[in-house]
Amino acid sequence: MSGDRTAEGQRSLFILSPGDRDGLCHAVGLVGWRAIGARRAGDAPQRYLRSEAQVALVDMRGGGSVEKLLAPLVPAMEAGGGALLVLVDGVDEAMLPALLEAGATHYLTAPFSEASLRAALGSAQRLVDRIGGGAAHSRRAQRIRRGDALYWELGPRDLVVQLSESLARHLDIGTSRLTPGALVRRLPRAERGAVLVALKAMMRTGRPGALAHALPGRPGNRLVHHLRVENGVVAADVEWLSDAHDRDLASRDVLTGLRSRHAALEWLEQRAGLATTAVLLSISQFDRMNAAYGQVVGDALLGRIARRIERMVDDVAPGAMVARIAGTEFLVGLTGEAAGSDRATFLARQLIAAIGRPFSAGDHMIRLIARCGIAQARPEDDATHLLRRAGTALADARQAGGEGIRILSADRHSRQVDPDKLETDLRLALDRGEIGIVFQPQYRVDSEQISGVEALARWNHPQYGPLGAGILFATAERSDYMLPLSAHIQNEALRQAAAWPRALSALRLSINVTAADIAQPGFMTDLLEIVDRSGFPRARLTVEITESGLIEDVDSATALLTALRAEGLAVAIDDFGTGYSSLAYLKSLPLDYLKIDSGLAQDIAGTARDRIIVRGVIHMAKSLGLKVVAEGVETQTQLDLLAREGCDYYQGFLRSAGVSSADLIALVLAG
């Protein structure tokens, strides 16, 4: 996306100007900087921390108040290693010593020229680079800040709006490319007219502007679009504001903008005796990341983590309290219905998944692992005791492994996903209808249309909530229940797919078979009977087998795959890159597709060595006449690099998670 390339060549500037926000944004754009402007001083520290900027400009012309405009920004600026530039009237130069004493690092006098503005901003950026250990570390930190940014741009030729991944995800839009009309129709009807007027005015004058609107379906949340024109391209940096976060601007953590530990304890204390749950989240081995990349990158990463937590909490539990407790520990406070154990566990899973999505540092992908401890308040708990109990649950979660969640319920009993209990429950789950199917869409790398889907299992456990395929199959393997489970999933996926309407008649369906399946003497006969009984065409079915299920006996695997293909089915190796990954034995197997594991696919955006390995896998597969499918694609950069190396298809969070059959039909019908 050209916005990505532009962003890397530009520095970000936060502007606080009660009277001349748009004029300063325009001036800053002329000297090559991106500007996020604000008029209100009240929430300026929060907006500075969300702006991805490390340099702030405060407009003090006309004798602005140091206490109101400047002082609140200083702690956040200093904590993040930033620079603070003040703009004063030339006649007020006598104010400068007091402004510098209050925390300003640079100054600019008005009226100013482009050259003097460029020089002042450049000097401020050099200070940021020095504090951060050099320009390379500073650029890496900036890329991390920009990695989850909300922005869009409108191409002058195709008149298609390209959204950043995070904005598409935040607006719950299944595609990152859509027409301007389709985007406007996503907005509240009452605000569409004002948005169109603002856009037309900016396009007519070429001057930066701003527009704001409510976030559909989320009361108290607003998006502010900071508009600009660059080389004929209309672009906008989108700022996410939440009334729930901005009502209390005191006692904030100066690095992340979240509530501080003290403010979090006050919040919990005020709700003593009520149904309250504390979700304590910790990032594992963050000190190693700091050692590898430096403190300035670590601080930038903490800011990104805070934004992901805020947005996820806003989606799942609006109005909940979010705080940074210490170091890499974050607290979410839940009350009312959201404090129930099922809702808290669901939120914990979503938070762990959000932190687990790689953070892009430009030349590196940084992957983090989170753990959660959950404690439900007891009548006698004060804030300190509740937080201490959440800490106990977190310590248990670190030791327990698994999905990394541990609960201390209000009746003092500890509850985590108990493997022994799961083995017992699994035998009842099929009869209760708890094992469901979702379909993850697959796309050609050069197309926006869904070309196929992979059927994935989900266990909707009555106590633990949705459990993914990993824990489901691990439980089945331990309990020797793999064969009944696998047969159920295959039957259900084929049954649902056979009922799809004509509009989905071109979609391929991929189903997974396990090592236990293919070890059965009558496996192929049974599978073909299931397929034919369902009515789903053999020609549209792909059987995916993990490489670990094939490697033990390559000769038998070769005979089996040959027979499956002769019966009209396509075959694929799934999760290539997680096991032995021998390129040599691929030549022995009659395959149609090679599916690259998500970890390997994501490595293509890593180091040069990573790219060489992924390139070798793709080129070997292509030389053998195989189609290549990449799993777990999460960024446009990954997709572009995979496409460049010859990958044919992809699936992953970049376009869509697994969806129900009804949602899949809606996606296809929506085009």
PDB file of all heavy atoms in Angstrom, residues 252-266:
ATOM      1  N   ARG A 252      -2.898   8.937  34.916  1.00  0.00           N
ATOM      2  CA  ARG A 252      -2.626   8.094  33.759  1.00  0.00           C
ATOM      3  C   ARG A 252      -1.176   7.617  33.774  1.00  0.00           C
ATOM      4  O   ARG A 252      -0.279   8.307  34.237  1.00  0.00           O
ATOM      5  CB  ARG A 252      -2.880   8.870  32.464  1.00  0.00           C
ATOM      6  CG  ARG A 252      -4.342   9.193  32.222  1.00  0.00           C
ATOM      7  CD  ARG A 252      -5.079   7.986  31.717  1.00  0.00           C
ATOM      8  NE  ARG A 252      -6.515   8.232  31.591  1.00  0.00           N
ATOM      9  CZ  ARG A 252      -7.368   7.344  31.114  1.00  0.00           C
ATOM     10  NH1 ARG A 252      -6.953   6.164  30.741  1.00  0.00           N
ATOM     11  NH2 ARG A 252      -8.645   7.626  31.039  1.00  0.00           N
ATOM     12  N   ASP A 253      -0.964   6.421  33.261  1.00  0.00           N
ATOM     13  CA  ASP A 253       0.386   5.943  33.008  1.00  0.00           C
ATOM     14  C   ASP A 253       0.962   6.760  31.858  1.00  0.00           C
ATOM     15  O   ASP A 253       0.384   6.793  30.761  1.00  0.00           O
ATOM     16  CB  ASP A 253       0.345   4.456  32.638  1.00  0.00           C
ATOM     17  CG  ASP A 253       1.692   3.941  32.187  1.00  0.00           C
ATOM     18  OD1 ASP A 253       2.635   3.993  32.989  1.00  0.00           O
ATOM     19  OD2 ASP A 253       1.793   3.505  31.024  1.00  0.00           O
ATOM     20  N   VAL A 254       2.090   7.406  32.093  1.00  0.00           N
ATOM     21  CA  VAL A 254       2.574   8.401  31.123  1.00  0.00           C
ATOM     22  C   VAL A 254       3.142   7.753  29.863  1.00  0.00           C
ATOM     23  O   VAL A 254       3.283   8.433  28.839  1.00  0.00           O
ATOM     24  CB  VAL A 254       3.629   9.328  31.764  1.00  0.00           C
ATOM     25  CG1 VAL A 254       2.995  10.187  32.836  1.00  0.00           C
ATOM     26  CG2 VAL A 254       4.792   8.515  32.344  1.00  0.00           C
ATOM     27  N   LEU A 255       3.467   6.473  29.905  1.00  0.00           N
ATOM     28  CA  LEU A 255       4.040   5.837  28.725  1.00  0.00           C
ATOM     29  C   LEU A 255       2.967   5.310  27.779  1.00  0.00           C
ATOM     30  O   LEU A 255       3.109   5.386  26.561  1.00  0.00           O
ATOM     31  CB  LEU A 255       4.970   4.691  29.139  1.00  0.00           C
ATOM     32  CG  LEU A 255       5.744   4.002  28.013  1.00  0.00           C
ATOM     33  CD1 LEU A 255       6.662   4.995  27.303  1.00  0.00           C
ATOM     34  CD2 LEU A 255       6.556   2.834  28.561  1.00  0.00           C
ATOM     35  N   THR A 256       1.876   4.788  28.325  1.00  0.00           N
ATOM     36  CA  THR A 256       0.846   4.159  27.492  1.00  0.00           C
ATOM     37  C   THR A 256      -0.459   4.938  27.442  1.00  0.00           C
ATOM     38  O   THR A 256      -1.296   4.677  26.578  1.00  0.00           O
ATOM     39  CB  THR A 256       0.527   2.746  28.008  1.00  0.00           C
ATOM     40  OG1 THR A 256      -0.024   2.848  29.330  1.00  0.00           O
ATOM     41  CG2 THR A 256       1.786   1.886  28.047  1.00  0.00           C
ATOM     42  N   GLY A 257      -0.678   5.853  28.376  1.00  0.00           N
ATOM     43  CA  GLY A 257      -1.938   6.581  28.427  1.00  0.00           C
ATOM     44  C   GLY A 257      -3.052   5.828  29.120  1.00  0.00           C
ATOM     45  O   GLY A 257      -4.152   6.357  29.290  1.00  0.00           O
ATOM     46  N   LEU A 258      -2.804   4.587  29.530  1.00  0.00           N
ATOM     47  CA  LEU A 258      -3.803   3.839  30.287  1.00  0.00           C
ATOM     48  C   LEU A 258      -3.838   4.335  31.727  1.00  0.00           C
ATOM     49  O   LEU A 258      -2.990   5.106  32.159  1.00  0.00           O
ATOM     50  CB  LEU A 258      -3.466   2.343  30.269  1.00  0.00           C
ATOM     51  CG  LEU A 258      -3.342   1.677  28.895  1.00  0.00           C
ATOM     52  CD1 LEU A 258      -2.952   0.215  29.064  1.00  0.00           C
ATOM     53  CD2 LEU A 258      -4.622   1.805  28.102  1.00  0.00           C
ATOM     54  N   ARG A 259      -4.821   3.884  32.492  1.00  0.00           N
ATOM     55  CA  ARG A 259      -4.822   4.213  33.910  1.00  0.00           C
ATOM     56  C   ARG A 259      -3.565   3.660  34.579  1.00  0.00           C
ATOM     57  O   ARG A 259      -3.026   2.630  34.182  1.00  0.00           O
ATOM     58  CB  ARG A 259      -6.061   3.622  34.594  1.00  0.00           C
ATOM     59  CG  ARG A 259      -7.330   4.445  34.442  1.00  0.00           C
ATOM     60  CD  ARG A 259      -8.441   3.812  35.281  1.00  0.00           C
ATOM     61  NE  ARG A 259      -9.623   4.646  35.338  1.00  0.00           N
ATOM     62  CZ  ARG A 259     -10.626   4.604  34.478  1.00  0.00           C
ATOM     63  NH1 ARG A 259     -10.557   3.772  33.467  1.00  0.00           N
ATOM     64  NH2 ARG A 259     -11.671   5.386  34.607  1.00  0.00           N
ATOM     65  N   SER A 260      -3.129   4.343  35.614  1.00  0.00           N
ATOM     66  CA  SER A 260      -1.978   3.887  36.377  1.00  0.00           C
ATOM     67  C   SER A 260      -2.417   2.832  37.390  1.00  0.00           C
ATOM     68  O   SER A 260      -3.610   2.597  37.592  1.00  0.00           O
ATOM     69  CB  SER A 260      -1.339   5.056  37.116  1.00  0.00           C
ATOM     70  OG  SER A 260      -2.247   5.560  38.093  1.00  0.00           O
ATOM     71  N   ARG A 261      -1.440   2.211  38.051  1.00  0.00           N
ATOM     72  CA  ARG A 261      -1.754   1.229  39.083  1.00  0.00           C
ATOM     73  C   ARG A 261      -2.596   1.861  40.183  1.00  0.00           C
ATOM     74  O   ARG A 261      -3.591   1.276  40.635  1.00  0.00           O
ATOM     75  CB  ARG A 261      -0.454   0.671  39.669  1.00  0.00           C
ATOM     76  CG  ARG A 261      -0.672  -0.326  40.812  1.00  0.00           C
ATOM     77  CD  ARG A 261       0.642  -0.706  41.479  1.00  0.00           C
ATOM     78  NE  ARG A 261       0.427  -1.635  42.563  1.00  0.00           N
ATOM     79  CZ  ARG A 261       0.456  -2.960  42.452  1.00  0.00           C
ATOM     80  NH1 ARG A 261       0.711  -3.512  41.277  1.00  0.00           N
ATOM     81  NH2 ARG A 261       0.251  -3.739  43.494  1.00  0.00           N
ATOM     82  N   HIS A 262      -2.219   3.063  40.613  1.00  0.00           N
ATOM     83  CA  HIS A 262      -2.954   3.743  41.682  1.00  0.00           C
ATOM     84  C   HIS A 262      -4.402   3.998  41.262  1.00  0.00           C
ATOM     85  O   HIS A 262      -5.341   3.747  42.034  1.00  0.00           O
ATOM     86  CB  HIS A 262      -2.260   5.061  42.029  1.00  0.00           C
ATOM     87  CG  HIS A 262      -2.997   5.875  43.053  1.00  0.00           C
ATOM     88  ND1 HIS A 262      -3.029   5.533  44.388  1.00  0.00           N
ATOM     89  CD2 HIS A 262      -3.741   7.006  42.928  1.00  0.00           C
ATOM     90  CE1 HIS A 262      -3.754   6.419  45.050  1.00  0.00           C
ATOM     91  NE2 HIS A 262      -4.194   7.329  44.188  1.00  0.00           N
ATOM     92  N   ALA A 263      -4.596   4.474  40.029  1.00  0.00           N
ATOM     93  CA  ALA A 263      -5.952   4.755  39.554  1.00  0.00           C
ATOM     94  C   ALA A 263      -6.756   3.464  39.416  1.00  0.00           C
ATOM     95  O   ALA A 263      -7.965   3.439  39.677  1.00  0.00           O
ATOM     96  CB  ALA A 263      -5.893   5.493  38.219  1.00  0.00           C
ATOM     97  N   ALA A 264      -6.095   2.368  39.018  1.00  0.00           N
ATOM     98  CA  ALA A 264      -6.793   1.090  38.895  1.00  0.00           C
ATOM     99  C   ALA A 264      -7.265   0.590  40.256  1.00  0.00           C
ATOM    100  O   ALA A 264      -8.391   0.095  40.399  1.00  0.00           O
ATOM    101  CB  ALA A 264      -5.875   0.065  38.246  1.00  0.00           C
ATOM    102  N   LEU A 265      -6.417   0.723  41.274  1.00  0.00           N
ATOM    103  CA  LEU A 265      -6.810   0.301  42.616  1.00  0.00           C
ATOM    104  C   LEU A 265      -7.981   1.139  43.130  1.00  0.00           C
ATOM    105  O   LEU A 265      -8.893   0.615  43.789  1.00  0.00           O
ATOM    106  CB  LEU A 265      -5.615   0.398  43.566  1.00  0.00           C
ATOM    107  CG  LEU A 265      -4.520  -0.656  43.356  1.00  0.00           C
ATOM    108  CD1 LEU A 265      -3.298  -0.335  44.201  1.00  0.00           C
ATOM    109  CD2 LEU A 265      -5.043  -2.053  43.677  1.00  0.00           C
ATOM    110  N   GLU A 266      -7.967   2.428  42.831  1.00  0.00           N
ATOM    111  CA  GLU A 266      -9.091   3.283  43.221  1.00  0.00           C
ATOM    112  C   GLU A 266     -10.379   2.813  42.550  1.00  0.00           C
ATOM    113  O   GLU A 266     -11.444   2.773  43.180  1.00  0.00           O
ATOM    114  CB  GLU A 266      -8.803   4.736  42.852  1.00  0.00           C
ATOM    115  CG  GLU A 266      -7.846   5.446  43.793  1.00  0.00           C
ATOM    116  CD  GLU A 266      -7.804   6.935  43.519  1.00  0.00           C
ATOM    117  OE1 GLU A 266      -8.311   7.369  42.450  1.00  0.00           O
ATOM    118  OE2 GLU A 266      -7.258   7.685  44.356  1.00  0.00           O
TER     119      GLU A 266
END
